[in-house]
Amino acid sequence: MTQPAPSAQHNGPDKGTLAGPSDTPPSKSGGGMPGLGLRLDVRILSLLGVLAALIVVGGFTEPDAFLDTGNLQLILTQASVIGVVTVGMTFVIISGGIDLSVGAMVALASVWATTLATQEYGFAGIAFTAVIVGLAAGLVNGVLIAYGGMVPFIATLAMLASARGLALQITDGKTQIVTVDSVLDLGLPDSYILGIPPLVIMFAVVTVVGWLILNRTTFGRRTVAVGGNAEAARLAGIDVRRQRLYLYLLSGLCCGIAAFMLIVLAGSGQNTNGNLYELDAIAAAIIGGTLLSGGRGTIVGSVLGVLIFTTITNIFALNNLQSDVQQIAKGAIIVAAVLVQRRTMRGRET
């Protein structure tokens, strides 16, 4: 007997299905869980409320500095690099996986793309190398996990160590300065488009493309299906292994793009680039509503999570608060987000 295809979102083998990714409200024709769209709106509105509250706090504590146009541009620019990484991470987590190597892949791609040999090929050489190195690292992760049967935690942890080590070997612990003017010019105010930095525009494009892929394509539905119930997805005809390979390739691609953006932002390549990006990306995805167990997630929520964390960091810096206080605040936000997720899931089960 032919097995029914799983919906794009699944609560488990015995618990019914949802109509689609959590960015998309359920169809009026049936199939969706009642109130899903309302819960989604409440979650996104809550994140927007938190972000608005942070803006009020920043404007109240440091009105001249925080509300300055240059500072707001800085917040968006800083959010752009980790934001691109978070888009790729969101896809991986929705599928039920994890990628602990994103920061190391950013570092490796950034130093490989800024060697003297690579810089001889100019703008195109740096951008192409960064993307290819990110894709290659993602391919290794995907092959080990999808076809090698390795647990994502172990495979990506191994990539984290290997990529960091290779980045250190390439740089010999030194900073590689970028001398290609066309790359450096992207970070200058003269290159802003209507007051918007090019890196922010790149982030916006990646976000829109990621949202469309997750919510408007078969690839997105398969991603959610694999994360919700991999066995049901396999029985429905989805090549689960190939889907996972593609997802880690996507994560690597996002890391390559982020590496190029970081090169523009810093004007150099260092083996320490991307430090703790994996934790920031996972945290942003979690507070944005993506379940660590897979099967549900939202690009919009993840982006708002990135903006919240970046704004917190900026406010703390303007008020001369130490970095350890920032980490404590981030940790508290992550714990609160997980508790809210658990309460939401219990509510659905009842």
Side-chain angles (χ1 to χ4, degrees):
M1 185 173 72
T2 304
Q3 295 289 337
S7 70
Q9 193 162 342
H10 199 287
N11 284 335
D14 301 314
K15 292 194 178 176
T17 58
L18 300 180
S22 58
D23 275 332
T24 308
S27 171
K28 294 182 180 179
S29 60
M33 180 179 288
L36 175 61
L38 177 61
R39 279 194 292 271
L40 170 64
D41 291 341
V42 170
R43 184 168 61 246
I44 297 300
L45 287 175
S46 297
L47 292 172
L48 288 172
V50 171
L51 184 59
L54 289 173
I55 293 174
V56 171
V57 171
F60 179 77
T61 57
E62 291 289 340
D64 295 332
F66 181 80
L67 297 178
D68 181 72
T69 301
N71 185 62
L72 297 178
Q73 290 173 333
L74 176 63
I75 292 175
L76 292 175
T77 301
Q78 291 177 336
S80 297
V81 180
I82 186 62
V84 170
V85 174
T86 302
V87 170
M89 180 70 79
T90 300
F91 275 90
V92 171
I93 296 178
I94 289 174
S95 72
I98 198 74
D99 192 345
L100 300 179
S101 64
V102 291
M105 288 194 292
V106 169
L108 179 60
S110 69
V111 300
W112 209 320
T114 53
T115 60
L116 292 177
T118 304
Q119 292 193 52
E120 291 180 358
Y121 294 93
F123 183 99
I126 293 176
F128 178 78
T129 302
V131 171
I132 289 298
V133 171
L135 280 171
L139 176 63
V140 173
N141 280 338
V143 170
L144 291 176
I145 294 167
Y147 296 97
M150 293 187 67
V151 177
F153 181 91
I154 300 300
T156 57
L157 185 62
M159 175 57 73
L160 183 157
S162 301
R164 283 287 178 195
L166 184 54
L168 179 60
Q169 186 178 52
I170 291 174
T171 61
D172 195 24
K174 301 176 182 177
T175 300
Q176 298 178 163
I177 304 299
V178 176
T179 58
V180 180
D181 292 336
S182 56
V183 173
L184 298 175
D185 288 345
L186 283 179
L188 299 177
D190 291 342
S191 65
Y192 290 5
I193 301 174
L194 299 178
I196 303 176
L199 297 187
V200 177
I201 295 175
M202 292 175 63
F203 175 35
V205 171
V206 171
T207 298
V208 171
V209 172
W211 187 91
L212 290 173
I213 292 175
L214 180 61
N215 296 278
R216 295 291 184 265
T217 68
T218 301
F219 182 88
R221 291 192 291 273
R222 288 175 177 173
T223 298
V224 180
V226 169
N229 191 321
E231 181 61 18
R234 185 187 67 82
L235 293 174
I238 296 176
D239 190 332
V240 175
R241 294 191 299 178
R242 184 172 61 185
Q243 184 70 15
R244 285 175 174 159
L245 173 63
Y246 289 162
L247 287 165
Y248 282 95
L249 274 172
L250 177 60
S251 180
L253 173 63
C254 288
C255 287
I257 296 172
F260 176 74
M261 296 169 68
L262 192 58
I263 291 170
V264 173
L265 187 61
S268 63
Q270 304 177 54
N271 65 285
T272 56
N273 282 345
N275 187 36
L276 297 181
Y277 271 19
E278 55 277 358
L279 300 184
D280 288 341
I282 293 171
I286 290 173
I287 72 169
T290 301
L291 290 182
L292 274 176
S293 56
R296 195 188 77 198
T298 156
I299 298 296
V300 174
S302 295
V303 169
L304 289 175
V306 170
L307 292 174
I308 287 172
F309 277 139
T310 308
T311 304
I312 289 175
T313 301
N314 184 265
I315 292 174
F316 280 24
L318 291 177
N319 287 275
N320 297 318
L321 296 177
Q322 297 180 355
S323 60
D324 54 350
V325 181
Q326 298 179 29
Q327 298 304 321
I328 292 173
K330 288 183 178 180
I333 292 174
I334 294 171
V335 170
V338 172
L339 291 176
V340 170
Q341 282 189 0
R342 291 185 62 183
R343 183 176 179 181
T344 301
M345 293 306 296
R346 286 176 181 174
R348 290 182 179 180
E349 291 175 358
T350 58

